[in-house]
Amino acid sequence: MSSRHDPNRPVAVYATDFDQSPDAGALEGLGLDRRPVGAGELAGCLAELGDAQAILLLVDDALINQSGDTGRQALASLNPVGPVRVVSLLKNPKRIGTLGIPDGLVTWRGGETSRDNLAGVLRCAVRELAHFSRYRILDDELDLRRHEIHELNRIGIALSTEHDHDSLLTLILQTIREFTCSDAGSLYVLERDADGERRLRFSVAQNDSIETPTLKQFTLPINRQTLAGYAAVTGVPLNIADAYNIDPSADYSFNPAFDINTGYVTRSMLVLAMKNHRDETIGVLQLINRKTDRHIKLTHENVETAVLPFDQRSQEFATSLASQAAIALQNNLLLRGLESNIDELKSTQAQLVQSEKLASLGQLTAGVAHEINNPLAFSRNNTQLARERLKMAELRLSIRTWLENQEEIPAGARHQAGLDLLDRLVGNPTYSDDVRSVRYELEDLPEDAREGLLREFFDYVTQRSEAEGDPVNILLGRVDKLLEESMVGLDRMAEIVLGLRNFSRLDEASFQEADIDEGIRQTLMILRKVAKDASVSVLDDLQLDRPYPCFPAKLNQVVLNLVNNAIDACDRWGEVKVITRRIDDWLQIQVLDNGSGIDEEHINKIFDPFFTTKPVGKGTGLGLSISYRIIQEHRGKIWAARRESGGTVFTIQIPSSAPAPDTVEAKEQAN
């Protein structure tokens, strides 16, 4: 008679008479579906269950005698690598070898055995079958992960190519909602108010089930009382199954004002901090009501059945997307800031040549920032994945420590530590079914026997982990190398972006106290690739002891022009050096090179507008003219000289202490 079985539960197949035998009790507590077969039914039963069903086949003399030739043929035709385990209960153990059953499927060849031994054999067989089932699940999971990684890369590229700020925010929220099947959501961007306090600006809201009112942007204080504020302060994701049943002792609470005003019903929520590559929160993402089907429109009538809590996979995927989105958002803000700086610099420059020069510089920095956006997002995603691998490695080490230090830990503490490790394995899909089985068995065992079962199970976990993957030390070494390389790349790219921003930001266009040496370092960093492509070494010897008054951005521009010219003047393997010193009341900056030098006939013309000795199309003759005028604004001096050893040295001197230009004190000093 046909019966349906859960495809995820192994099926025990045995002769009908086995149910009346004393050994039948060994099947209790193993989580098996049972399928007794009568005379001539074995072949049909195996055919019905198919190759995909996990089967525990108990072969005794009754089963063989009643199955006939078709049954024997069915046994000999079993898939050698299929999810089948055969336990022989034949009185003559050698008889199992005459049935043609593939050797790899027979997990026990013994004859009559005690019920306790049989129970142990069956437990091992069931675990092996569970392994087959999990293998199929893992294979499906692997395909899913490949798809997710592909989608993450695709989304990262899409985010990096969207330059409009509002469109980017809309795209971020829409994309993450689609992949988590969220009915609604909102996005907050972190900003600072006039007093410098950090606040969250409500920037985007979306809802598939109701027509939302016109968005009115507002800001929230960053504290633990609101859901978004709590995520921003702590960085901890909030995965809430029911917004109206939050633990009253929690720091945060749900604000039902939107539901009251619109008639919407909020149930499940996922609130995530959006963090950049420095692990700094720059925004908060709220996802609302994960649906069973993205096409469903939620109503009061169907919300209880159509809304699900956000599962772990949704949270992990949303977290990865939020990381990529945060980097795209930060770079978008950076690009907006750079573009704003460029526009304002263009409009405020008194001379056309200087405006043009600064605009081209801003375009260069914006282009570099955009160019590194994709590898920055990719490195961040890889680092996130590596962290997940480390969690499992740490658990494996904890299990090994527990197994190896049995005599050093008191019995009570050792038992509790084992239970704690068992709890940590619950969340691992590879072992979750085994953990449930072990927990069930522990309840039926006397206390003095429980530790033995825990040791047996942890031995099994350790052996399987070593068999299916790399040893822990090799795994940790590889993960450490991956993290090291990823973080070096992230720090390097972050350094470039920060340097570009600091180099061209508008607030340093004013006269102020500034670290001149640091500005030079940032400038040399920008030119590092130019020097590398030209095979020229750029060295520095910077010894100014404190900040000094200057126009930082403009002084950086002068150094940029001089070092760039020096690199152009050098042959391959040439050398450029920048030196800073304080000499009496003057700050001195020198740029030296060992290139071809400047002809004497040109030395007095190099600061004239449009004068250049470079080939046509390579130089405009504006860089040194602009530099000369900037140094004049500092009430300083700049000159060039030929070096006796070959090459050129440019020397800049500006006052070490001076009032800001265009002030009464400055005009009196100038007179």
Side-chain angles (χ1 to χ4, degrees):
M1 180 177 178
S2 174
S3 62
R4 299 186 59 141
H5 298 280
D6 183 348
N8 295 319
R9 286 166 58 92
V11 176
V13 177
Y14 50 85
T16 305
D17 294 344
F18 183 77
D19 275 332
Q20 282 73 48
S21 74
D23 291 335
L27 292 174
E28 296 295 334
L30 297 181
L32 297 167
D33 285 347
R34 300 191 184 191
R35 184 70 180 272
V37 293
E41 294 179 351
L42 177 61
C45 173
L46 294 177
E48 178 190 337
L49 292 174
D51 289 339
Q53 177 69 55
I55 300 172
L56 176 61
L57 186 57
L58 304 183
V59 177
D60 58 10
D61 293 287
L63 181 71
I64 298 303
N65 295 336
Q66 73 182 20
S67 297
D69 291 341
T70 56
R72 292 170 179 266
Q73 291 173 2
L75 291 175
S77 302
L78 290 171
N79 185 349
V81 294
V84 177
R85 280 296 174 263
V86 177
V87 174
S88 172
L89 302 178
L90 296 169
K91 293 181 180 180
N92 180 4
K94 295 182 179 180
R95 189 181 181 189
I96 191 70
T98 66
L99 301 178
I101 300 174
D103 288 340
L105 303 183
V106 181
T107 192
W108 177 256
R109 296 174 178 271
E112 295 182 350
T113 182
S114 70
R115 186 180 305 175
D116 289 342
N117 287 343
L118 178 59
V121 170
L122 294 180
R123 278 199 302 271
C124 291
V126 169
R127 286 175 185 162
E128 290 180 10
L129 291 174
H131 169 66
F132 276 105
S133 299
R134 285 193 295 273
Y135 176 82
R136 289 198 301 269
I137 293 172
L138 289 174
D139 192 51
D140 293 340
E141 178 76 12
L142 181 60
D143 288 340
L144 179 60
R145 292 299 183 186
R146 288 196 187 102
H147 174 71
E148 289 179 350
I149 291 173
H150 172 76
E151 288 301 310
L152 284 171
N153 289 333
R154 182 186 65 79
I155 293 167
I157 294 172
L159 293 176
S160 67
T161 56
E162 179 57 70
H163 294 163
D164 181 77
H165 182 70
D166 292 338
S167 298
L168 176 61
L169 296 179
T170 300
L171 177 61
I172 289 172
L173 184 57
Q174 183 66 37
T175 300
I176 298 181
R177 283 182 53 237
E178 287 178 358
F179 276 91
T180 56
C181 207
S182 302
D183 185 61
S186 55
L187 193 152
Y188 298 81
V189 177
L190 189 143
E191 62 179 35
R192 293 187 182 273
D193 61 17
D195 297 326
E197 294 294 325
R198 300 194 313 160
R199 296 182 69 86
L200 289 173
R201 176 169 292 278
F202 181 69
S203 301
V204 181
Q206 297 171 358
N207 194 304
D208 290 340
S209 294
I210 64 171
E211 185 175 347
T212 54
T214 303
L215 176 66
K216 293 181 179 179
Q217 293 198 4
F218 59 87
T219 63
L220 294 173
I222 298 181
N223 55 43
R224 292 173 174 263
Q225 280 71 56
T226 64
L227 299 179
Y230 184 89
V233 170
T234 65
V236 176
L238 293 178
N239 194 332
I240 301 169
D242 187 346
Y244 287 91
N245 283 298
I246 295 175
D247 185 350
S249 64
D251 293 341
Y252 49 84
S253 61
F254 170 66
N255 183 354
F258 179 81
D259 286 9
I260 294 172
N261 294 333
T262 63
Y264 189 68
V265 181
T266 300
R267 280 291 179 267
S268 59
M269 296 185 68
L270 179 61
V271 187
L272 301 170
M274 298 172 62
K275 296 185 177 183
N276 62 16
H277 61 282
R278 293 183 180 274
D279 209 35
E280 301 166 339
T281 297
I282 64 169
V284 173
L285 186 71
Q286 284 192 163
L287 302 174
I288 302 171
N289 286 345
R290 175 175 169 250
K291 298 187 291 188
T292 57
D293 186 330
R294 70 179 58 187
H295 302 293
I296 294 176
K297 286 191 177 294
L298 298 182
T299 64
H300 284 268
E301 289 72 26
N302 67 9
V303 69
E304 299 298 336
T305 57
V307 173
L308 302 170
F310 287 88
D311 58 12
Q312 187 65 25
R313 175 169 293 166
S314 296
Q315 181 173 323
E316 290 175 357
F317 199 61
T319 300
S320 296
L321 285 173
S323 297
Q324 291 205 45
I327 294 171
L329 178 58
Q330 185 175 46
N331 280 280
N332 180 267
L333 293 172
L334 172 62
L335 290 173
R336 290 179 70 199
L338 289 173
E339 290 167 356
S340 175
N341 290 351
I342 294 167
D343 291 340
E344 189 161 350
L345 286 170
K346 284 181 179 180
S347 65
T348 57
Q349 294 305 316
Q351 299 179 26
L352 176 63
V353 288
Q354 190 166 355
S355 174
E356 181 180 350
K357 188 70 174 180
L358 292 174
S360 62
L361 176 62
Q363 291 168 0
L364 169 66
T365 59
V368 173
H370 176 70
E371 181 180 349
I372 69 172
N373 183 56
N374 284 346
L376 185 61
F378 182 76
S379 296
R380 173 66 179 180
N381 189 50
N382 277 0
T383 304
Q384 182 70 22
L385 293 176
R387 286 177 178 173
E388 296 299 322
R389 303 302 186 271
L390 281 173
K391 292 180 182 178
M392 186 56 198
E394 188 273 335
L395 181 56
R396 287 171 59 182
L397 287 173
S398 298
I399 291 174
R400 181 184 296 175
T401 301
W402 187 88
L403 289 170
E404 294 175 352
N405 297 327
Q406 293 292 305
E407 302 301 325
E408 301 176 11
I409 305 174
R414 185 168 63 243
H415 179 66
Q416 184 58 49
L419 294 178
D420 292 342
L421 290 174
L422 198 64
D423 289 340
R424 292 173 62 187
L425 279 169
V426 171
N428 189 311
T430 304
Y431 302 105
S432 57
D433 290 340
D434 284 342
V435 171
R436 295 189 188 95
S437 297
V438 171
R439 279 180 167 175
Y440 186 86
E441 293 174 33
L442 285 172
E443 293 177 358
D444 296 334
L445 290 176
E447 188 169 344
D448 57 352
R450 293 177 181 176
E451 188 174 323
L453 178 59
L454 287 173
R455 189 181 303 109
E456 175 188 345
F457 177 65
F458 289 147
D459 278 333
Y460 158 73
V461 171
T462 300
Q463 293 171 12
R464 181 175 170 191
S465 298
E466 294 291 339
E468 295 180 358
D470 293 318
V472 172
N473 60 328
I474 295 178
L475 175 63
L476 289 176
R478 291 177 178 173
V479 171
D480 183 66
K481 183 66 174 176
L482 174 63
L483 287 174
E484 181 182 32
E485 293 175 353
S486 297
M487 295 311 297
V488 167
L490 286 170
D491 290 342
R492 171 66 185 134
M493 289 182 281
E495 178 187 6
I496 292 173
V497 173
L498 181 61
L500 289 168
R501 182 180 63 187
N502 291 340
F503 181 86
S504 60
R505 68 188 187 191
L506 186 62
D507 60 357
E508 289 194 355
S510 60
F511 194 83
Q512 60 184 277
E513 295 270 332
D515 188 340
I516 294 175
D517 282 353
E518 182 59 26
I520 292 174
R521 290 188 187 95
Q522 293 172 358
T523 302
L524 297 182
M525 180 192 65
I526 293 172
L527 290 170
R528 191 176 299 165
K529 187 176 187 304
V530 176
K532 181 179 179 181
D533 291 343
S535 299
V536 173
S537 300
V538 178
L539 310 175
D540 64 77
D541 181 10
L542 310 177
Q543 297 189 24
L544 295 181
D545 56 352
R546 62 177 177 83
Y548 291 94
C550 63
F551 293 100
K554 293 182 179 180
L555 201 56
N556 289 345
Q557 185 181 346
V558 173
V559 176
L560 177 75
N561 290 338
L562 296 181
V563 175
N564 199 28
N565 287 344
I567 293 172
D568 285 342
C570 289
D571 297 326
R572 287 175 62 83
W573 321 122
E575 182 179 287
V576 176
K577 189 171 186 179
V578 182
I579 301 173
T580 61
R581 297 287 189 275
R582 176 171 177 172
I583 302 176
D584 298 325
D585 294 330
W586 296 91
L587 305 178
Q588 180 169 287
I589 304 172
Q590 288 187 306
V591 178
L592 305 87
D593 68 67
N594 60 358
S596 56
I598 302 175
D599 294 338
E600 286 291 342
E601 60 186 289
H602 296 148
I603 203 78
N604 294 324
K605 302 178 182 178
I606 56 175
F607 297 110
D608 293 344
F610 305 107
F611 178 83
T612 181
T613 59
K614 295 180 180 179
V616 176
K618 188 172 183 181
T620 63
L622 298 175
L624 290 179
S625 174
I626 294 171
S627 300
Y628 183 82
R629 297 188 186 192
I630 290 174
I631 299 305
Q632 280 189 321
E633 287 184 57
H634 286 80
R635 295 181 300 282
K637 300 173 287 185
I638 180 171
W639 68 90
R642 292 174 59 85
R643 300 176 65 192
E644 292 182 2
S645 58
T648 305
V649 54
F650 279 82
T651 302
I652 298 168
Q653 287 186 344
I654 61 175
S656 60
S657 61
D662 299 325
T663 64
V664 174
E665 294 87 342
K667 292 177 181 177
E668 289 177 352
Q669 189 179 88
N671 292 331

